Amino acid sequence: MADENQNHEEPVIRDKRRIDPETGEVRQPDPDAEGAPAQGAPEATGDEATDAAASVASEDDVDELTVDDILNAANAEVQEPSDEHLADLKRITAEYANYRKRTEANREVERERAVGAAVAVLLPVLDDLDRAEKHGDLEGDAPFATIAAKLRGSVEKLGLTAFGEIGEAFDPQRHEAIFQQPADDVEIDTVADVVETGYTLGGTLLRAAKVVVKTPL
């Protein structure tokens, strides 16, 4: 009995699965293998055969996909943006345009505020020049007249504008009435005299003009 067990040959089991379970690669056909399934090895079912074929097809498809294909697809998406991308682009463009407008407007306001603060200290000097001009001290080519002209020209270059003229309509937004006198030669409130000139800098009112107003009877 012992001799029979020692002489008995072990059965040979051949694995005929097309996909190697360890490497995942497709096995090459073994010319020595028999057509019949190996003894003890389970025959591949229909699902297993289908999965193996699909795996091979997927690998073939990946091999055929090149870098150029991916770049071409990306370029096509950029050249032909979707409606959603166009809507986002328009929204971002509009937001940026509004941001620029707000920034430029704020910058202009800050500039006028800074220049106005510097020019405001010169307004009393300009008032003295106006009084001197009314008294005839700025006539001719006198040195004082030349200095007055240069100072007025310098502040005008900064954007300072004087207003307040006799005969113009009274505007409570720009004029400050210090005295009113009834008159029959006017139909609306009219500036009769300018006591102190008003000034604006750009769109900013630095000081209202102090005036005497004629009112209709």
Side-chain angles (χ1 to χ4, degrees), residues 13-77:
I13 300 177
R14 292 185 176 88
D15 187 357
K16 293 197 174 184
R17 288 175 290 182
R18 292 196 54 177
I19 305 300
D20 192 328
E22 294 182 358
T23 63
E25 298 179 353
V26 181
R27 289 174 170 171
Q28 299 298 328
D30 187 0
D32 298 333
E34 298 179 357
Q39 184 178 356
E43 184 178 359
T45 62
D47 294 337
E48 292 177 349
T50 302
D51 294 341
S55 176
V56 174
S58 299
E59 293 179 357
D60 293 339
D61 293 341
V62 172
D63 292 339
E64 294 177 358
L65 185 61
T66 63
V67 176
D68 291 337
D69 295 335
I70 298 175
L71 294 178
N72 292 335
N75 291 333
E77 184 177 356

Side-chain angles (χ1 to χ4, degrees), residues 136-148:
D137 296 335
L138 299 182
E139 296 178 356
D141 296 332
F144 189 44
T146 303
I147 295 173

Side-chain angles (χ1 to χ4, degrees), residues 13-213:
I13 300 177
R14 292 185 176 88
D15 187 357
K16 293 197 174 184
R17 288 175 290 182
R18 292 196 54 177
I19 305 300
D20 192 328
E22 294 182 358
T23 63
E25 298 179 353
V26 181
R27 289 174 170 171
Q28 299 298 328
D30 187 0
D32 298 333
E34 298 179 357
Q39 184 178 356
E43 184 178 359
T45 62
D47 294 337
E48 292 177 349
T50 302
D51 294 341
S55 176
V56 174
S58 299
E59 293 179 357
D60 293 339
D61 293 341
V62 172
D63 292 339
E64 294 177 358
L65 185 61
T66 63
V67 176
D68 291 337
D69 295 335
I70 298 175
L71 294 178
N72 292 335
N75 291 333
E77 184 177 356
V78 172
Q79 295 174 359
E80 299 179 0
S82 62
D83 294 340
E84 182 179 357
H85 291 166
L86 289 175
D88 292 340
L89 181 60
K90 291 180 180 179
R91 176 179 56 80
I92 294 174
T93 303
E95 291 178 355
Y96 178 69
N98 293 333
Y99 168 76
R100 286 192 59 184
K101 290 180 181 178
R102 291 194 304 269
T103 302
E104 292 175 359
N106 293 337
R107 185 184 297 113
E108 184 64 21
V109 170
E110 292 299 326
R111 189 194 72 83
E112 290 183 357
R113 184 178 301 173
V115 175
V119 172
V121 299
L122 298 176
L123 296 185
V125 179
L126 297 176
D127 293 337
D128 291 339
L129 295 178
D130 291 341
R131 297 186 187 98
E133 187 175 19
K134 287 181 179 180
H135 287 85
D137 296 335
L138 299 182
E139 296 178 356
D141 296 332
F144 189 44
T146 303
I147 295 173
K150 289 182 178 180
L151 179 60
R152 287 173 172 172
S154 297
V155 294
E156 288 177 359
K157 290 180 180 179
L158 295 176
L160 187 69
T161 303
F163 68 90
E165 297 289 341
I166 296 175
E168 66 183 7
F170 175 76
D171 183 359
Q173 301 296 329
R174 295 162 52 89
H175 300 141
E176 179 183 350
I178 61 174
F179 183 76
Q180 292 182 349
Q181 58 183 22
D184 56 0
D185 59 342
V186 294
E187 297 181 355
I188 59 173
D189 293 345
T190 306
V191 175
D193 190 15
V194 179
V195 179
E196 192 174 81
T197 304
Y199 292 97
T200 60
L201 183 67
T204 303
L205 177 65
L206 291 184
R207 189 180 73 182
K210 294 181 181 180
V211 297
V212 176
V213 182

